[in-house]
Every structure is written in structure tokens, then in C-alpha cells.
Amino acid sequence: RALMRLTLFALAITLIATGFAAKTPYQAVLQHSRIRGRTHGPNVCAMQKIQGTDKKYFTNCKQWYHRKICGKPTVVSYECCPGYEKVIGEKGCPAALPLVNIYKTLGVVGATTTKMYSERANLQEEIEGPGSFTFFAPSNEAWAALPTEILDALVSNVNIELLNALHYHMINKRLTSDDLKHGASFPSMYQDFDVHIHHYSNGIVTVNCARLVKTDQHATNGIVHVVDRVITAITNNVNSLIDNDDDLDTLRTAVAAAGLTNLLENEGSYTIFAPTNEAFEKIPPNTLTRILGDPVALKDLLNYHILKNLHCSESIVAGTPLETLQGTVLEVGCDGEEMTINGKAIVTQRDKLGTNGVIHYVNELLIPDSAKTLLELVEGSVVTTASKLFKDAGLTDHLIGFETLTLLAPLNDAFKDKSLAMTPDLKKLLRNHILKEKFSSKSLYHGQELETLGGLKLRVFVFRNSLCIENACIAAHDKNGRYANMFIVDQILAPPMGTVMDVLKADDRFSTLVGAIQRAGLTELLNKKGTYTFFAPTNAAFSAMPPADLNKLMNPKELANLLRYHIGEEFLVSGAVTSHTRMKPLTGDKLELGTRNSSVYVNRVPVVETDLMATNGVVHAVDFLLNVMIKTISYFSASSQCDVPLCFSS
């Protein structure tokens, strides 16, 4: 018996889960609105209205908590859910709407203008009589929004055009919101011309890009869905729409040159952000000529304007990354009434629907990285300082040519506190920021050597959370251009300058350390092949020690142990240090590394200069001896007179 109960319980859970899984997005968002409204009584739904407009939406979790739609604040109202009405003296909306014919239902749901035009067009008898219809009824506001000349042409002299228009809003069978599947088409009652349904993951349902604002209003002879605009018959594919619009002349020529005509004529469900003639005219002539003359770049450019799926403007309630045919994404969003692309309100006309897609007009050309030269990649990114320096260094020809290169472009912050005067040394350094081949960061591997235009060989280091070329770690996604790529890196490149011992000897700050290394017998170690990380004490570190303690360290064995504790067994540049990084030294247990306010710390000691690169390792300068810090840190941490360089709040 217990086993049977358990089996029945499991079956019930499965059925419930299946029921939830089968919900359409619209039903899911409607259920959420019901949950939010239930404290106000039965069958009450929470609605969000954009302030200053009449636009209302059933609410989902994200909209509820952010209280925003299209970036604009919303106010919450509580209204009867579809199909229910209030009863005087009772809480909520306990009564189902009376079941009457479609004609009367139009009045009940507030589509009174559609009801009036149904009378004028002699449609009343049909929608009062027997049958099973679906009527996508334009709201009163939808009729009011029609241009005057179109409305006059429809309603003047009670002509046949008005009846045809209303019949195009009707389907000769009953379709609930559950039946309105994404991508479905249904023959209308006007010459069987299809109406096109799109049902989006955020719960919005559209018919010919008109949003359903009141759904599932049942009638004795069908069902009414109120929509927010008057829809018109769709007969042409998107290529025909482009062909017949003088404002898209340049686009039409480009589509033909790129061989995309067949794509736009075939069956599909695309979204096209169609650049107008004005959009093409805004591009520098040389750039436009180059792209139009390059079939590969031109095809990439046009495919970057085409989304893989159809998105009516009404489906967008927040910024959403959507994949293009070019393979990358566009951030499609909205700002109030404006539709935006990559954060810019450049859409001038929306929802021109074809049989195989929808067109939104844009007044700016969207150029993908894959159609850009290296110079265009640099100038269009956040590395403005590097852009100027590369041009000042006379490297422009490499940035605009057809060479397969990879540019290492440091972030602007990397040049902070650096002299930017163009010198032969800086020119040479910048040439070493250009690799001779076109690389993808995903193809780089640990220990790989990359040759620069300056003739140097740079090493690749792969860390758990970082990918670095020498000391410069990649700080952003690759920018993949037409011929060349760009890696944005966090630092100016520092090529290796000899062995660790050579680096120390070349820097006057380490003169005491160099003598200590020689006394301790570690010179050979720091000259031989390896991957050492040396937290190198400066002269100031030794000077800070009491003379008595310093004298004790002059014993070669003690000195060797001290210095070996400062040397890690692996290679680690500053860009690979995370908040909790550990490293095993040559002597001792471990070194604790971390970052704070963009500075690197080792055993809570600040590193005063990072990434002095060597052929067999890397040197980081510290102004204190690390094992001395271990013995004294507890004292300083407990002291109210804490010396900031020696201790800090963790």
C-alpha cells in the first residue's frame, strides 16, 4: 500500500511538472501576474503600465523587481484577468464575463471602434451569427493611430475596403493564445492571405507585429484578441520590399553584389535592420568603397544587419543580445518608444513585415569587426591612447593594409604615469606590440613563441584565470578584423631583458640584493634556465632592518634561506594574481598573494613594481623582507599605530 501511494504521488508530481513545462510563455507570464495580484482577490492580475503612456503589460519576475519596461519606470495596477469581471460588494473579480457573440464581445472588451466599423462594413450579421471565428480586434487607440488618409480611404462611403480590412483580422476557426505558436501562419478570411504569429519567450504574442493586449476573450461563436494596431495584408517577401523602396537603393545594390538576393527571397523568418541611403552616406567614402569592393567584407557587413529570427519591435521590452547571420550578436533594446541597437536609437521605421521576415529601417550603418581594418578596430574601441601612439609611431600602413597581423593594444590606464613623448625606444616598443601572424586567443598555448614586427620572440603564459603574452594579459574578447586581429591587453608589453640576475644587476635599487645573492651562492641559480618569480627586496628593504638583525643575516646559509623564500617555483605575472593566490617558494611553506586597489601584495607586503621580465622568470620589487614580515605582522596588525606599508585590513 505504501509503495502504491509513493507511485501515485510520483505520477502526480510528473503530471504537474509536465503541465508546467507545457505552458506557453504567455500563460507563464499570465500566471505570474495572477500570483502577484491574488492578494487583491480572485482572478486579479498585476499589470505594469509605462508611466506617461497607455501601454500595459502582464508582468514577469524581471519586470516586477525592476519596475521598468524599455528603460522607463512603470506603475503597477491590479485588474481583472482575461475573461473575468468585478461584482459590486465582492473582492476581486469573481464573475466570469457573460458569454455572448463576437459582436457584443467587442463592446465588452473595449474594442468599441472595431464594433462600430463592423456595423459600417455590414460585418455585424456575420459576427453575430453561427460560426467559430478568431477576431484580432484593433483597440480604439489602434484605430486612432492610423494616418488620416488611410483611415479615410477605409471608412469613406462604406466601401468594400473596410470589410476586406476587417476580414483580414479574422480567422475561420477558434484560436486561443495557446494555439498561437511562434512562427505559425493562418489563412485569414480575406482571400486566404496569411496572418503571421510570433510568440516570444517573454510572453508577448504578436500578429503581423501587432501586440495582443487582451487575449482569450471567449464568445459563443469564437474568440476575440484585442491588438494594439490595425494590421494589413502581407504579400511580398523582404527582398521585394527592399526592391520597391527608393530609400533603400544602396542596400539593394549591396545585397545583389554580396549574392544575398536568393536568401531574402526564400522562405525564412529573418529580422533585417535595413540601412537607408542616408546610413551609407555617413560612412567615410574610402571605407565604403573598400567594403563595397570586397565581397567577403560586404557579405559580413550585410549579414551583421540580419538576425536569425524574426523580432517585431513590440517583442522588445529590455536589451537582449540577438545572434546575427554574421555569427556575432547585436544588443537589441528599447528606450521608451525608441528601438535601440547596441544602445543607440537609430531605428527610424519599424515593423515592415514581409512573408519571410520583418524590416526595421536604420539611419546608421552597422559595421562588424570582421569587415574592419586593424586601424578601424583600434579607433572604434576603448584603446584611444594606444591608437594615437601607433599612428604617431608611423605604423599606420600596417594598420590599414592587407597583412595578417595581431595587434596588442594596451588599455588607456596602462599609459598612466608614463611619458608619451615619441622616442626611438618607444617606436621600437610599439613595433613589438604587433605580431607577424593573425592569432586567435583561443588558439594560443602555454610556452608558445610569437614573433613581432620588431623581431622579438614573445612567450605565451596560460594561467587559471588569465592568458598573457609576457607581462601583458588579455583584458577583453578578441577583436577579429578582416585581415588582422586585435588583443586588448592590461599593460604595456615588457620584453625580457636577460636573466633574472641580469635584470637585478641593471637596476640600482637592487645593488644590496645583488651582493646578498652573490654572498649566498645563488648567482648560478638565477642565471640558469627556469621559470622563477622573484619578490626582490630593494635596498630600502635591507635598510629598514635593525643593524643587529641585518648582521645575523650575513651568514651565507641564513641569507640563502631568506632569499630562497622570496623565490617562487613557478612563473607568475601581476595580471594572473587573484584575490587568493598561493605560491610555493624554494624554501618554506607558501607565499600568499592578493590584490587590493589594483596593487599586488605578497604576504601582505605591497609590491612596489611588478613584471620586470627576464628570460628565466619575472621580478617583482618589494620594500620589505618577507620572512621578517611573517615574524612581525601579528604585532603590527594588533597595534593601533599600524604602519600602513606593513599591515592593512584584509
Side-chain angles (χ1 to χ4, degrees):
R1 185 181 297 270
L3 181 60
M4 183 178 293
R5 286 178 180 172
L6 186 61
T7 303
L8 289 173
F9 176 74
L11 179 60
I13 292 296
T14 302
L15 290 173
I16 291 171
T18 303
F20 277 111
K23 270 191 175 66
T24 64
Y26 169 76
Q27 289 296 337
V29 78
L30 178 61
Q31 182 184 24
H32 184 268
S33 288
R34 279 181 173 275
I35 291 170
R36 294 294 178 188
R38 62 189 172 187
T39 56
H40 292 260
N43 304 313
V44 174
C45 284
M47 301 284 288
Q48 291 202 61
K49 178 182 175 182
I50 301 177
Q51 292 184 16
T53 74
D54 292 322
K55 300 185 79 168
K56 295 179 182 178
Y57 296 80
F58 291 115
T59 180
N60 61 28
C61 280
K62 186 174 182 180
Q63 292 163 356
W64 180 264
Y65 287 113
H66 289 289
R67 294 290 202 278
K68 283 186 177 180
I69 292 172
C70 284
K72 301 302 179 184
T74 61
V75 292
V76 177
S77 62
Y78 296 91
E79 304 180 9
C80 292
C81 296
Y84 294 91
E85 65 179 352
K86 292 181 176 295
V87 174
I88 296 175
E90 295 192 35
K91 187 178 182 182
C93 305
L97 286 172
L99 206 61
V100 293
N101 60 51
I102 285 179
Y103 177 73
K104 291 181 178 178
T105 300
L106 292 174
V108 172
V109 300
T112 53
T113 306
T114 299
K115 184 179 180 183
M116 177 187 68
Y117 287 147
S118 297
E119 294 173 25
R120 288 195 190 182
N122 296 322
L123 182 63
Q124 178 178 346
E125 183 179 351
E126 184 176 2
I127 58 178
E128 282 182 327
S132 183
F133 309 113
T134 298
F135 201 151
F136 296 107
S139 65
N140 296 345
E141 294 79 11
W143 287 106
L146 271 183
T148 304
E149 62 274 14
I150 294 177
L151 186 59
D152 288 346
L154 284 176
V155 302
S156 62
N157 303 318
V158 196
N159 59 35
I160 192 65
E161 296 299 329
L162 182 57
L163 179 61
N164 289 342
L166 291 172
H167 267 154
Y168 186 64
H169 289 75
M170 295 176 62
I171 296 169
N172 199 11
K173 61 179 175 180
R174 184 190 302 264
L175 296 171
T176 68
S177 59
D178 282 350
D179 300 317
L180 302 177
K181 307 297 185 186
H182 186 68
S185 297
F186 299 98
S188 73
M189 292 177 63
Y190 170 56
Q191 297 184 10
D192 286 339
F193 284 129
D194 281 345
V195 295
H196 302 271
I197 306 298
H198 295 92
H199 196 145
Y200 298 95
S201 59
N202 58 10
I204 287 173
V205 184
T206 63
V207 52
N208 284 24
C209 286
R211 181 168 67 94
L212 275 61
V213 292
K214 290 183 181 178
T215 59
D216 299 324
Q217 308 293 335
H218 290 269
T220 55
N221 57 346
I223 194 164
V224 175
H225 304 288
V226 180
V227 295
D228 69 351
R229 70 182 75 168
V230 179
I231 63 175
T232 54
I234 308 302
T235 56
N236 292 320
N237 60 47
V238 290
N239 193 67
S240 296
L241 296 177
I242 293 171
D243 272 349
N244 295 321
D245 194 329
D246 292 340
D247 201 27
L248 302 178
D249 283 344
T250 310
L251 175 61
R252 179 170 60 252
T253 302
V255 166
L260 292 178
T261 303
N262 287 341
L263 173 75
L264 300 185
E265 288 179 337
N266 294 337
E267 288 187 10
S269 188
Y270 302 115
T271 301
I272 302 171
F273 294 107
T276 60
N277 298 338
E278 176 194 358
F280 282 98
E281 289 166 3
K282 290 180 180 179
I283 300 301
N286 289 343
T287 300
L288 185 58
T289 300
R290 175 182 63 79
I291 293 176
L292 291 177
D294 181 347
V296 174
L298 180 59
K299 189 171 183 178
D300 270 2
L301 177 129
L302 294 177
N303 280 337
Y304 189 56
H305 289 75
I306 304 174
L307 302 180
K308 285 188 171 182
N309 296 299
L310 191 150
H311 290 272
C312 298
S313 62
E314 286 293 333
S315 72
I316 306 297
V317 296
T320 307
L322 299 174
E323 190 175 358
T324 68
L325 291 186
Q326 184 258 347
T328 54
V329 298
L330 290 173
E331 182 79 14
V332 181
C334 50
D335 182 9
E337 293 293 323
E338 300 288 338
M339 191 175 183
T340 62
I341 303 174
N342 292 342
K344 300 175 72 176
I346 60 174
V347 178
T348 57
Q349 184 180 336
R350 299 178 290 182
D351 297 331
K352 193 165 185 178
L353 195 64
T355 55
N356 59 344
V358 65
I359 297 176
H360 307 296
Y361 289 55
V362 294
N363 62 6
E364 285 189 19
L365 200 62
L366 308 170
I367 304 180
D369 288 347
S370 59
K372 292 180 179 179
T373 64
L374 198 46
L375 181 61
E376 290 164 350
L377 288 179
V378 176
E379 291 181 335
S381 67
V382 296
V383 290
T384 53
T385 304
S387 172
K388 181 181 183 303
L389 288 174
F390 282 120
K391 288 186 285 186
D392 290 348
L395 297 170
T396 302
D397 286 347
H398 293 292
L399 304 184
I400 63 174
F402 305 133
E403 297 172 272
T404 53
L405 304 170
T406 303
L407 182 73
L408 307 181
L411 290 165
N412 291 345
D413 281 352
F415 296 96
K416 194 165 52 181
D417 303 325
K418 298 281 194 303
S419 172
L420 301 181
M422 187 55 62
T423 63
D425 284 344
L426 182 55
K427 284 186 178 181
K428 182 179 178 182
L429 181 61
L430 291 172
R431 286 182 64 82
N432 286 320
H433 281 74
I434 303 177
L435 307 177
K436 281 189 174 181
E437 296 181 45
K438 183 178 181 180
F439 292 103
S440 162
S441 62
K442 293 180 180 179
S443 68
L444 299 182
Y445 57 89
H446 191 75
Q448 185 177 5
E449 289 192 337
L450 312 173
E451 189 175 357
T452 72
L453 286 184
L456 286 184
K457 293 287 184 70
L458 304 178
R459 300 163 295 178
V460 175
F461 300 103
V462 178
F463 301 99
R464 181 176 297 277
N465 297 306
S466 302
L467 176 63
C468 307
I469 299 171
E470 295 298 337
N471 62 305
C473 298
I474 296 174
H477 292 299
D478 301 3
K479 293 280 189 180
N480 300 314
R482 174 68 179 93
Y483 300 102
N485 291 350
M486 178 173 73
F487 298 160
I488 295 177
V489 294
D490 63 347
Q491 295 195 56
I492 300 170
L493 189 76
M497 305 298 291
T499 66
V500 169
M501 201 63 194
D502 293 331
V503 170
L504 297 174
K505 285 180 176 179
D507 193 324
D508 290 342
R509 291 175 299 172
F510 301 118
S511 57
T512 304
L513 175 61
V514 169
I517 290 170
Q518 293 168 340
R519 184 179 181 86
L522 297 179
T523 303
E524 184 180 350
L525 173 72
L526 298 179
N527 272 324
K528 74 177 185 180
K529 187 176 181 180
T531 53
Y532 304 116
T533 298
F534 196 167
F535 295 96
T538 62
N539 296 343
F542 289 97
S543 298
M545 289 188 67
D549 291 341
L550 189 59
N551 286 335
K552 292 178 183 177
L553 289 176
M554 289 303 101
N555 177 286
K557 185 176 180 181
E558 291 289 332
L559 191 56
N561 283 335
L562 169 69
L563 296 178
R564 290 170 71 89
Y565 182 69
H566 287 71
I567 303 172
E569 291 184 336
E570 59 189 283
F571 182 92
L572 189 70
V573 295
S574 61
V577 176
T578 61
S579 55
H580 297 287
T581 302
R582 290 183 174 183
M583 174 177 284
K584 183 171 178 56
L586 297 180
T587 297
D589 182 20
K590 62 180 179 294
L591 295 170
E592 295 276 2
L593 288 92
T595 59
R596 188 176 181 221
N597 298 329
S598 301
S599 296
V600 176
Y601 288 79
V602 54
N603 290 0
R604 300 190 179 185
V605 172
V607 177
V608 295
E609 185 174 354
T610 60
D611 302 327
L612 303 170
M613 304 301 292
T615 55
N616 60 342
V618 59
V619 174
H620 306 297
V622 291
D623 280 345
F624 296 91
L625 293 166
L626 298 185
N627 72 332
V628 174
M629 289 303 302
I630 291 173
K631 295 174 183 176
T632 60
I633 194 70
S634 59
Y635 166 77
F636 284 111
S637 295
S639 171
S640 60
Q641 301 297 321
C642 178
D643 188 348
V644 173
L646 298 179
C647 64
F648 59 90
S649 177
S650 60

